[in-house]
Amino acid sequence: MVGGRARSRPPLELARDPESWPEAVIDDPAAAVVQSVARALDAALTSQSRSLRQAAEGSGVNRQAIADLLAGRCWPDIATVARLENFLAVPLYPHRDGTCITHQNRPPRPREQQAPGATK
């Protein structure tokens, strides 16, 4: 398996205190990247007032895959992160040198109006 034995356990389980995910201290560098992506994704969804369902429909990423990423239960692939970044028009992957992907300088997509009685 790519990534060795560490990927046999989800990122959440590599945290010193899994109960404090996504703020837990993590020594594994790959799990720390997933944690950073999860925090950035949560911040983007919150700031844009988007539900998991809206993010799934807009990005083409399965809703459960997004929930698992946010909870630290999975190792997301780069296509998942790229699709979410493109839909939300924000960088999610951490950049060590201070540069960010601008997504063609697009602002976040406008929030779609929900039909009355619809649930998130």
Side-chain angles (χ1 to χ4, degrees):
M1 166 187 307
V2 176
R5 298 187 59 119
R7 287 195 48 186
S8 65
R9 297 169 47 201
L12 169 71
E13 292 181 13
L14 297 174
R16 290 185 191 173
D17 177 18
E19 295 292 318
S20 62
W21 179 272
E23 303 305 324
V25 174
I26 297 181
D27 297 320
D28 182 88
V33 168
V34 174
Q35 180 186 46
S36 180
V37 169
R39 284 194 301 242
L41 175 58
D42 182 58
L45 292 172
T46 300
S47 71
Q48 295 180 26
S49 300
R50 294 196 184 272
S51 67
L52 294 183
R53 180 174 292 158
Q54 289 169 327
E57 289 173 359
S59 67
V61 174
N62 180 282
R63 186 196 59 77
Q64 188 61 51
I66 297 170
D68 288 345
L69 169 55
L70 289 168
R73 293 186 296 255
C74 72
W75 294 93
D77 62 24
I78 196 66
T80 296
V81 175
R83 287 182 180 113
L84 290 166
E85 283 185 338
N86 186 58
F87 173 68
L88 296 167
V90 296
L92 299 176
Y93 194 89
H95 299 277
R96 294 183 190 257
D97 64 358
T99 61
C100 291
I101 300 169
T102 62
H103 295 282
Q104 302 164 350
N105 295 319
R106 292 186 315 212
R109 294 183 185 188
R111 184 170 181 232
E112 296 174 13
Q113 297 297 321
Q114 280 188 283
T119 60
K120 286 187 174 183

